[in-house]
């Protein structure tokens, strides 16, 4: 809200200037977002007269002038082309301070003494007069008078942010009242002029929707002559950023800024049928609003209507046809109180947040309407003449405010302070004039405008605010601590994230949303995406009702979308490859709710950058399997071939991961078609883990296992095997031998080419053998190798000689 | 016979050790070993073998002497060998060449995201202050996100948190981590001391300093006789833990419907230490978090008697702190995942 410092100062005798006031307000919980200085921001400038003007002996463009400042004549060097003898000018004397803290000093300019400055509008920070050079004043300007005082007072406009809990501060009187409480000063509220109520009675008003309209007061002022507002009123509105319309409308705007009570004026002669109704709008009723918009109304909206239809949207905006113009003769003043929520909903729906609706939706002082209506009529009579009639009022009695007992002990307990009782009670008495002693504290009733004061903690805050939050001490945290509980899913997510970073992956942070084109790229021709715990069709996607943009159409059903988007971004910025992972939530509609899942997904693509120590390798499914094994070490991980029912993964080069028969993830190479859709070049692998499933799956606690103190031995078998033999069959065949000493079986080399016959491949399998209680003999080793070779032979493998 | 032996012995006992101690190559060591101690033709071996043919008296004299010589030669050979090997190794090392200006192959090591890193540091500090982790869904109900937090429908305070709503569902994206307060208080009895880190969503235009998706860390403490001073003490420790022992905070009154009294907590500007700079809009202070005593309506909503229990709550934005810590100029960079940017951030 824009606040004029001068206006505030008329209402309460502020002991501080505008900047210090902003600081005060900050510590009262109202931050001034900006301070705009208005009017003359200079001192020491007087009206002067140029007595003589000569050319500067040492400079072509400068003049030597003598200036009379009302008491003395001084020499001044001036560079303006328009300076002339006999002119009245704005003269900055030595010691004057111009905007920007520019202090005028005695100077020597090109050898000539200069004691002061003849000013231009720009130098004084005044609006331009369009003249190139100094400001020339009217010839009648009295020489020697303070120039600033001839321009009217300077002012500062503070843009103060008022929280939604303090509608009472949304006006100058309201803010002045707050500051009066704070400084312990009297409030000088403007009184309504007394006037005889000789005019006709107001139009009858039927309130058919009493929930929407809590109070409606009205008054007729007849025989007015509506002209433009006087200058002082125009300026006051202009300084606060409001446009002057005409004297009658300006009165309503001025009073809104003065006391926060919205008012509306109708041209009484344009109200049809001689009576008004406050009712719900009928569906389809329309109103051309004073905000320039044509509003289509619904029964949700409260309207003021005459016999012909709505004339105003209650509390939001008046209608053009019944508005007051310079042709208006008789004015009907409305001063009402409407339901905050109803005004809010209507203003929101009509996109018509007005100064009026903002105040109604936050709550206006229920006791203020009659007085505000009277002040409005008084001002109208003053500016437009006419005769006022009596006031009609549907609810003269304001609702009672709660009375609360508040003690210093209570306040100190809540704030943790040690304020003495008199200090606390002093604040309470300033807040509520009728505070009465009650036990060890005071019984206080909130004033009608303080809708936010209802319970004891509200008053504790008030005391803290006015005595300063800085006076609240810092206490050490109490030592009584609940036993910390560990949450399995976040703990797992953190452990795995840390491990992924250790394994060379950069953690990503993606938005939770996907666009339709991104969804197209993810789904492809597939009807359903695999979320690991469920399939997700496009109908299952949780979509936003009000996305910020088309990019944020739906909540992500998989983390891969964001990772793919990031990979493409990096590719487009020149990266040849990368490794990313993210841990986060995925979302799917599930009946009337949304099912969230915790996931960790990784994406790596492109080749490692070539390096002299190692050759570049493209990501493949085997690397992905190794990654999963390292990441989930210690868990009984089962791999099931294929993970591509949804076309995300390569149909062959992918694996579903299970623990205890339950799916916990999938991994592998991404489907070439998916990569084509995303325009991601080169091979790419991904890993997706369902952290909910993984946290629920059994993870055996690490236990000590005995290691053999006897040395083990290794035997390599070089086998020629049929090219189509799966390693798993060989592995199973070896395991089926149940060799007691076999502790590990590794494939250490795979070779095709020179020396290996067509249709065969050479595998070197390493058997590690050991026993817990003794060293194996050569004969035993020989037998084990022999039996392994025989097992291999049953699969068509032969030992290479 | 014994004279031949004695002649041989005399010659050997005088020269052998001297010869052995002067060998200069590993080959010469081996040659000397063969010459004197070789199994077949070693000169000392032969003498030792001949001992048995000597008369008893001589055997008694020469036996020990010859064996002692054998030990001495062995020892000397061994020591020469070791010395020569050491010399050879040293020479080898001295002549070896390693180009240490070659680029080392990178060990792949990833990084946590600056937001995770910052959030983890916050939860780690709060964890040490006795706050245990709690969490809740990111898609929430109006009841938990607003109503239970003393923000009824049509309340103007809803303007403070513009909201994403879901299509066809009576749900929204949580605008703050505070619904975790409601969920936790409804499911648990006081005393309660929890922290709830997580993602939140605001329906507002994205620019360099505003993100529609961001993270918060919520703190909630419910016990008997909890005061603003307890809150101030805890936050002061928290902020100093986060920004260093010299960090200072101040409380300003502010309005959040779910607390009363409510405070905005500022931290003395981390860039100018309070002198005033563009980052703190020349005020010397940076707005850092919102806090206050839990409103009795909120406690009551969760079935906790506000006459018996009181508590405080606070909520800190993570991104703003991450931007400050890492000097990132634009919040959108945190969500773009440009590897060139991320690889320079976080330890």
């Amino acid at each position: 809200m824009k606040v004029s410092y001068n206006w505030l100062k008329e209402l309460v005798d502020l002991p501080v200037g505008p900047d210090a006031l902003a600081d005060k307000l900050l510590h009262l919980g109202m931050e001034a977002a900006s301070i705009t200085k208005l009017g003359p921001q200079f001192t020491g400038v007087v009206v002067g007269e140029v007595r003589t003007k000569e050319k500067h002996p040492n400079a072509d463009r400068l003049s030597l002038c003598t200036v009379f400042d009302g008491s003395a004549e001084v020499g001044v060097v001036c560079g303006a082309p328009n300076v002339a003898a006999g002119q009245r000018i704005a003269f900055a004397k030595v010691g004057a301070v111009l905007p920007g803290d520019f202090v005028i000093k005695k100077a020597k300019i090109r050898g000539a003494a200069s004691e002061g400055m003849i000013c231009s509008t720009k130098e004084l920070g005044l609006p331009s007069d369009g003249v190139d050079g100094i400001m020339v004043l009217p010839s009648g300007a009295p020489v020697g008078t303070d120039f600033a005082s001839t321009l009217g007072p300077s002012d500062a406009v503070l843009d103060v942010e008022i929280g939604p809990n303090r509608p009472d501060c949304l006006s100058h009187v309201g803010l002045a009242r707050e500051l009066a409480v704070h400084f312990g000063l009297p409030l000088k509220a403007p009184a309504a002029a007394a006037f005889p109520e000789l005019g006709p009675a107001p139009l009858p008003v039927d309130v058919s929707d009493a929930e929407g309209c809590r109070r409606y007061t009205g008054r007729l002022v007849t025989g007015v002559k509506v002209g433009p507002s006087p200058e002082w009123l125009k300026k006051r509105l202009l300084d606060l950023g409001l446009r002057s319309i005409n004297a009658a409308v300006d009165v309503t705007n001025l009073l809104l800024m003065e006391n926060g009570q919205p008012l509306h004026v109708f041209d009484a002669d344009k109200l049809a049928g001689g009576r008004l109704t406050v009712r719900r709008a009928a569906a389809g009723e329309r109103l051309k609003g004073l905000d320039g918009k044509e509003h289509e109304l619904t029964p949700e909206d409260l309207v003021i209507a005459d016999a012909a239809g709505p004339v105003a949207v209650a509390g939001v905006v008046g209608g053009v046809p019944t508005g007051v113009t310079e042709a208006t003769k008789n004015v009907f003043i409305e001063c009402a109180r409407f339901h905050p929520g109803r005004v809010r909903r209507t203003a929101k729906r009509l996109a018509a947040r007005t100064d009026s609706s903002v105040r109604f939706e936050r709550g206006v002082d229920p006791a203020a309407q009659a007085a505000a209506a009277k002040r409005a009529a008084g001002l109208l009579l003053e500016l437009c003449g006419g005769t006022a009639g009596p006031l009609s009022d549907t609810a003269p009695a304001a609702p009672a405010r709660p009375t609360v007992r508040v003690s210093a002990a209570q306040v100190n307990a809540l704030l943790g302070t040690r304020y003495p009782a008199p200090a606390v009670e002093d604040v309470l008495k300033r807040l509520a004039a009728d505070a009465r002693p009650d036990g060890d504290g005071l019984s206080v009733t909130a004033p009608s405008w303080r809708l936010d004061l209802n319970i004891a903690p509200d008053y504790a805050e008030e005391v803290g605010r006015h005595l300063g939050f800085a006076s609240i001490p810092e206490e050490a945290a109490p030592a009584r601590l609940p036993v910390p509980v560990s949450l399995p899913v976040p703990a797992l997510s953190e452990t795995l994230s840390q491990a992924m970073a250790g394994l060379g992956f950069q953690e990503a942070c993606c938005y939770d949303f996907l666009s339709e084109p991104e969804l197209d790229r993810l789904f492809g021709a597939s009807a359903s995406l695999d979320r690991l715990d469920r399939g997700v069709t496009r109908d299952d996607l949780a979509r936003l009702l009000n996305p910020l943009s088309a990019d944020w159409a739906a909540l992500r059903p998989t983390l891969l979308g964001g990772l793919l988007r990031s990979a493409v971004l990096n590719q487009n910025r020149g990266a040849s490859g990368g490794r990313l992972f993210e841990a986060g939530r995925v979302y799917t509609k599930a009946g009337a709710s949304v099912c969230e899942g915790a996931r960790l997904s990784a994406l790596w693509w492109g080749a490692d950058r070539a390096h002299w120590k190692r050759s570049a390798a493209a990501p493949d499914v085997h690397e992905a399997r190794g990654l999963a094994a390292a990441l989930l070490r210690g868990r009984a991980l089962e791999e099931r071939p294929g993970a591509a029912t949804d076309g995300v993964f390569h149909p062959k080069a992918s694996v579903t991961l299970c623990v205890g028969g339950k799916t916990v993830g999938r991994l592998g190479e991404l489907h070439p078609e998916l990569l084509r859709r995303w325009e991601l070049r080169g091979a790419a692998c991904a890993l997706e883990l369902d952290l909910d499933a993984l946290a629920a799956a059994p993870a055996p606690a690490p236990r000590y296992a005995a290691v053999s103190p006897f040395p083990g031995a290794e035997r390599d078998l070089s086998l020629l095997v049929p090219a189509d033999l799966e390693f798993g069959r060989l592995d199973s065949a070896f395991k089926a031998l149940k060799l007691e000493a076999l502790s590990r079986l590794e494939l250490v080399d795979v070779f095709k080419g020179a020396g290996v016959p067509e249709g065969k491949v050479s595998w070197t399998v390493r058997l590690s053998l050991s026993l817990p209680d003794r060293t194996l003999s050569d004969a035993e080793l020989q037998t084990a190798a022999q039996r392994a070779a025989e097992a291999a032979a049953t699969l068509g493998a032969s030992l290479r000689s | 016979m014994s004279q031949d032996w004695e002649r041989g012995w005399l010659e050997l006992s005088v020269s052998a050790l001297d010869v052995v101690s002067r060998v200069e190559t590993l080959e010469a060591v081996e040659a000397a070993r063969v010459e004197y101690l070789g199994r077949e033709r070693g000169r000392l071996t032969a003498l030792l073998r001949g001992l048995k043919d000597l008369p008893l008296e001589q055997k008694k004299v020469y036996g020990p002497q010859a064996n002692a010589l054998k030990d001495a030669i062995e020892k000397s050979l061994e020591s020469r060998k070791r010395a020569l090997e050491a010399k050879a190794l040293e020479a080898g090392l001295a002549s070896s060449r390693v180009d240490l200006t070659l680029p080392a192959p990178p060990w792949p090591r990833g990084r946590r995201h600056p937001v995770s890193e910052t959030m983890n540091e916050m939860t780690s500090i709060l964890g040490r202050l006795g706050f245990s982790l709690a969490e809740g869904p990111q898609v929430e109900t109006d009841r938990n996100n607003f109503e239970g937090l003393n923000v009824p429908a049509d309340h103007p305070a809803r303007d403070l948190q513009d909201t994403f709503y879901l299509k066809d569902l009576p749900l929204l994206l949580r605008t703050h981590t505070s619904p975790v307060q409601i969920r936790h208080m409804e499911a648990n009895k006081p005393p309660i001391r929890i922290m709830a880190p997580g993602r939140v969503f605001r329906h507002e235009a994205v620019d360099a300093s505003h993100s529609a998706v961001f993270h918060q860390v919520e703190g909630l403490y419910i016990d008997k006789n909890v005061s603003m001073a307890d809150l101030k003490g805890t936050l002061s420790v928290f902020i100093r833990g986060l920004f260093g022992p010299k960090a200072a905070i101040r409380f300003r009154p502010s309005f959040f419907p779910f607390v009363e009294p409510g405070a905005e907590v500022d931290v003395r500007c981390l860039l100018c230490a309070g002198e005033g700079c563009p980052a703190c809009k020349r005020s010397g202070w940076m707005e850092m978090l919102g806090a206050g005593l839990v409103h009795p309506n909120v406690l009551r909503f969760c079935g906790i008697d506000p006459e018996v229990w009181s508590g405080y709550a606070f909520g800190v934005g993570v991104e703003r702190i991450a931007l400050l810590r890492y000097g990132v100029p634009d919040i959108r960079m945190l969500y773009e995942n440009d590897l060139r940017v991320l690889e320079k951030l976080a330890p």
Side-chain angles (χ1 to χ4, degrees), chain B residues 236-255:
Chain B
S236 176
V237 170
F238 172 62
I239 290 294
R240 281 183 283 153
L242 203 56
F243 297 117
K246 284 188 185 152
I249 57 168
R250 74 172 184 192
F251 272 40
R252 279 188 287 124
S254 188
F255 172 68

Side-chain angles (χ1 to χ4, degrees), chain A residues 472 480 498 501 512 587 596, chain B residues 110 112 138-139 199 223 232:
Chain A
I472 299 174
R480 188 153 67 91
Q498 212 56 32
D512 301 60
Y587 313 81
E596 289 180 34
Chain B
R112 299 302 302 278
Q138 286 163 189
V139 176
R199 233 170 227 224
D223 207 328
K232 215 175 184 181

Side-chain angles (χ1 to χ4, degrees), chain A residues 444-753:
Chain A
V444 286
T445 306
S448 60
W449 55 86
R450 288 301 300 267
L451 303 170
D452 60 318
L453 295 183
N454 297 300
I455 53 175
D458 295 335
Y459 288 93
E461 179 177 72
E462 288 303 291
V463 172
R465 250 171 14 96
H466 288 293
L467 297 182
F469 272 20
S471 60
I472 299 174
E474 290 179 10
E475 290 289 343
R480 188 153 67 91
L481 305 176
V483 177
V485 185
S486 168
L487 297 179
V489 173
L492 179 67
S493 173
E494 185 52 28
T495 308
L496 296 183
S497 294
Q498 212 56 32
M500 284 302 284
L503 289 164
F505 283 77
Q506 168 64 52
E507 188 180 12
C509 194
C510 301
Y511 293 126
D512 301 60
F513 311 99
L514 294 170
S515 67
E516 289 297 343
E518 284 171 335
L519 289 165
D520 291 341
R521 272 174 254 154
L522 272 178
F523 275 87
S526 170
S528 162
L529 271 186
D530 184 2
R531 211 190 88 159
L532 297 175
D533 61 341
R534 63 182 65 208
V536 182
T537 69
R538 292 187 81 134
D539 288 340
D540 297 332
L541 293 170
R543 289 171 188 281
L544 290 185
L545 181 68
N546 56 339
L548 269 181
S549 73
D551 290 344
W552 291 17
L555 284 165
R556 58 188 180 186
T558 165
L559 301 184
L560 284 182
L563 292 176
L564 281 161
R565 182 201 302 136
S566 304
V568 170
L569 175 132
N570 278 287
Q571 172 182 276
N572 294 345
R573 292 182 182 179
S576 64
R579 300 188 179 98
L580 286 171
F581 81 97
E582 184 179 23
R585 304 265 178 95
V586 297
Y587 313 81
T588 319
K589 229 158 55 170
S593 68
V594 165
C595 170
E596 289 180 34
R599 298 287 180 275
L600 186 147
S601 292
L603 173 69
W604 62 110
W605 75 96
D608 272 346
R609 293 190 84 87
H611 193 274
W612 65 273
K613 281 287 281 180
R614 60 173 87 107
S615 52
D620 71 10
V621 64
H622 303 298
E623 193 186 56
R625 293 165 61 218
L627 172 75
L631 187 65
L632 302 175
R633 190 173 59 191
R635 286 181 173 78
L637 213 55
E638 304 147 35
E639 291 181 343
R640 293 185 185 160
T645 54
D646 58 357
V648 169
F649 283 87
H650 188 293
K652 295 284 169 60
S654 62
V655 158
T656 299
L657 294 173
C658 303
V659 174
K662 294 232 164 61
T663 300
V664 298
R666 56 179 183 160
L667 60 79
E669 293 164 32
L670 288 176
H671 200 293
E673 183 56 29
L674 179 94
L675 295 180
R676 192 195 58 74
R677 290 197 298 268
W678 282 88
E679 295 175 21
L680 188 62
R681 292 185 297 273
C685 274
L687 162 71
E688 285 199 287
L689 294 176
D690 179 342
L691 298 183
D692 298 317
L694 204 53
R703 297 282 302 169
Y704 168 77
V707 288
S708 172
F710 298 94
E714 289 174 349
R715 285 289 180 275
D716 285 358
L717 296 180
S718 278
L719 299 167
L720 275 179
V721 301
D724 61 355
L725 180 67
E726 283 192 345
F727 182 78
R729 293 189 60 205
L730 187 68
D731 188 49
S732 309
F734 285 167
K735 287 194 176 131
L737 294 173
K738 296 202 160 50
L739 293 171
E740 185 198 4
L742 186 63
S743 59
R744 187 156 59 167
L745 187 120
E746 290 159 291
L747 180 62
V748 295
D749 186 50
V750 175
F751 178 70
K752 247 189 253 189

Side-chain angles (χ1 to χ4, degrees), chain A residues 23 26-31 163-165 340-342 344-345 348 353 361-362 412-417 455 457-461 465 469-485 487 489-491 493-494 497-498 500-513 542-548 552 555-556 562 566 569-570 573 575 577-582 585 587 589 591-594 596 605 611-614, chain B residues 102-117 120 129-130 132-140 154-160 162-171 173-174 191-193 199 201-206 211-213 215 221 223-230 232-234 236 240 249-255 260-263 266 281 287 293 295-297 309-310 312 332 334-340 342-343:
Chain A
D23 192 54
L26 181 71
H27 290 280
L28 285 170
M30 300 169 203
E31 188 172 356
N165 60 326
R342 296 278 297 277
R344 179 180 157 84
R345 262 174 278 162
K348 250 192 140 162
R353 303 298 280 279
E361 70 177 54
R362 296 181 179 194
N412 283 329
L414 281 168
L415 299 182
T417 46
I455 53 175
D458 295 335
Y459 288 93
E461 179 177 72
R465 250 171 14 96
F469 272 20
S471 60
I472 299 174
E474 290 179 10
E475 290 289 343
R480 188 153 67 91
L481 305 176
V483 177
V485 185
L487 297 179
V489 173
S493 173
E494 185 52 28
S497 294
Q498 212 56 32
M500 284 302 284
L503 289 164
F505 283 77
Q506 168 64 52
E507 188 180 12
C509 194
C510 301
Y511 293 126
D512 301 60
F513 311 99
R543 289 171 188 281
L544 290 185
L545 181 68
N546 56 339
L548 269 181
W552 291 17
L555 284 165
R556 58 188 180 186
S566 304
L569 175 132
N570 278 287
R573 292 182 182 179
R579 300 188 179 98
L580 286 171
F581 81 97
E582 184 179 23
R585 304 265 178 95
Y587 313 81
K589 229 158 55 170
S593 68
V594 165
E596 289 180 34
W605 75 96
H611 193 274
W612 65 273
K613 281 287 281 180
R614 60 173 87 107
Chain B
L102 278 170
W107 281 88
R109 185 181 162 200
R111 287 167 178 80
R112 299 302 302 278
H113 193 275
V115 167
S116 303
E117 202 68 45
N120 282 350
L129 292 175
S132 20
L133 199 64
E135 61 167 5
Q138 286 163 189
V139 176
E140 264 294 2
D154 297 322
H155 194 283
R158 293 204 172 199
D159 289 347
L160 301 174
D162 283 335
T163 311
F164 285 107
Y165 293 94
L166 268 75
K167 205 173 182 175
D168 306 326
L169 296 173
L171 297 169
L173 297 183
R174 66 176 180 191
I192 286 167
R193 198 197 294 250
R199 233 170 227 224
F201 306 84
R202 298 272 171 92
H203 191 272
E204 58 182 30
V206 175
S211 178
V213 177
H215 295 76
Y221 174 49
D223 207 328
K224 285 175 180 159
N225 305 317
V226 179
S227 75
M228 287 292 274
D230 298 324
K232 215 175 184 181
T234 299
S236 176
R240 281 183 283 153
I249 57 168
R250 74 172 184 192
F251 272 40
R252 279 188 287 124
S254 188
F255 172 68
E260 185 70 35
D266 298 338
K281 293 187 223 146
E287 210 171 290
L293 295 187
H295 198 288
N297 289 353
W309 302 99
S310 56
Y312 62 67
R332 287 167 291 197
L334 295 178
Y335 286 86
E336 228 178 33
N337 303 316
D338 186 327
L339 285 166
R340 297 168 305 172
L342 291 182
E343 280 171 1

Side-chain angles (χ1 to χ4, degrees), chain A residues 398-444:
Chain A
R401 301 286 298 130
T403 298
V404 190
R405 202 185 69 81
V406 185
S407 68
Q410 229 174 343
V411 167
N412 283 329
L414 281 168
L415 299 182
T417 46
R418 288 176 196 84
Y419 296 139
V424 172
E425 289 177 5
D426 178 47
V427 174
L428 294 176
K429 283 175 188 159
R430 278 187 263 153
L431 273 173
D434 66 342
R436 284 170 285 105
D438 182 353
D440 65 340
L442 292 177
S443 190
V444 286

Side-chain angles (χ1 to χ4, degrees), chain A residues 69-87:
Chain A
D69 65 7
S71 56
E73 255 184 47
V74 292
V76 176
V77 176
C78 181
N82 65 335
V83 68
Q87 283 171 338

